[in-house]
Amino acid sequence: MAPAESRVGRTEVLVALGTAVVALGLLLGLPPLDAADPETLAAPVVAPAVGSLPWSLLALGLLVQSAALLAVRRFPRTVLVAVAAVPVPIAVAVPAVVDLFGLTALPVLVAVVVVALRAPLVRTWPALVVTALLVAVGTGWHRAIVSGAFRGGQVVRALLDASGQGVLQALGAVGLPLVVALVVRSRREVRAARVAEADARSAEADARAAEASASVREQDARVDAAVSRERAAMARELHDIAAHHLSGIALMSAVIDRQIDVDPPAAHEGVRQVREQSTAVLEDLRRLVGLLRDDSPAERTVETVAGVVDLVERARLRSDVRLEVLPGDRPLADGVGPLAQLVTYRTVQEALSNAAVHAAGSMVTVTVDDRDDERLRVRVENSVPTAPSSGSTAAGGNGLRGMRERADLVGARLQAGPTDGGGWVVTLELSREQPEAAS
């Protein structure tokens, strides 16, 4: 048995037992109390002797009524009618219990209260009406027999008096407790509704708090992702600046070291070139730091495909670089977005730096093919190196990795690898932006 059902069963037992104890206590206590102090009640109690047949039948009826209350939860309407029907045969068979007959209304009152508190009135009102009628009939019949209405001459008046007594008993045993029970039940339902409303508000507040917490976590994740992307972008930018300029400075410093004794004028020219490269790297670093400052952002020009010409001219100062531009019937890199042009510039810059470090003495050819209507192709190829490499492999291929990441960012295609002749080639293909159709 479930715990809730067990508690209900104990309650029913206590109700039935309490009703039986009170009813039998009154049945035993009222006559002695009246005999000990006649002024306690308004009129003497007319009752049979304790243990006599009328008294025993009335006691048995009270016990039956109390026992019926054990099933009030499962069969509320049946119990109501049964508890009210038991006094009717007692009224017919035992007219001697004159004043004690009213005790039969006590179990009826308890049944009405219990049923009204547990079962909806919509379902129980027919049984309540039948209960009231049975109480009225039993009480009226008992009063009519006791008063001798069927033997005297004033039958109508006696019957009217008995009917009035029955109606009053029905109102007292059914009507009044029903009203009290309905009031108690309505207050209980209002209190339960308020508790449910408070629980709903609490649950809603918890849901809003959870939603807000989820939003905060989602926002934090977005911020972390954005910070990671910015860090990667700054790392690539710093790598480009360092690899392009500092590798050139290192190569020119090595040349100056060999020329300073045998060819001083050339060494002086190399020092000036080192100074130009140092100034350029400082300028690039200043612009990058300026982008990171909120108070005074530095102005910065965006590199384009056209800037590859100047990039190649600067690269010629430290190696043999040749530029080949294959123009189409449109402006150079027309239809290629600014971000894609920046990626092109950085790719060429990185390829030239790699060639200068890892393919010393080779001839580098930069080809910008702008003839295709759908895409732009940029190719950086170096021949077989003729001098030992001055670069280090500690970087682990970060330059090539950065090229691929930038290409993926703009949807470009990057290919890099050795050539059949022993050199190295880097090819970048970018799609042109299609013009929007006129509406």
Side-chain angles (χ1 to χ4, degrees), residues 369-391:
D369 188 352
D370 196 34
R371 296 172 297 177
D372 198 319
D373 293 336
E374 296 182 357
R375 59 182 55 86
L376 171 70
R377 293 185 180 89
V378 178
R379 179 185 177 93
V380 181
E381 180 179 0
N382 62 270
S383 62
V384 179
T386 59
S389 173
S390 61

Side-chain angles (χ1 to χ4, degrees), residues 279-301:
T279 304
V281 69
L282 289 175
E283 179 65 20
D284 286 343
L285 290 175
R286 184 191 68 83
R287 288 185 294 182
L288 179 60
V289 173
L291 291 175
L292 301 179
R293 296 179 59 184
D294 295 333
D295 53 351
S296 58
E299 296 182 358
R300 176 177 178 177
T301 58

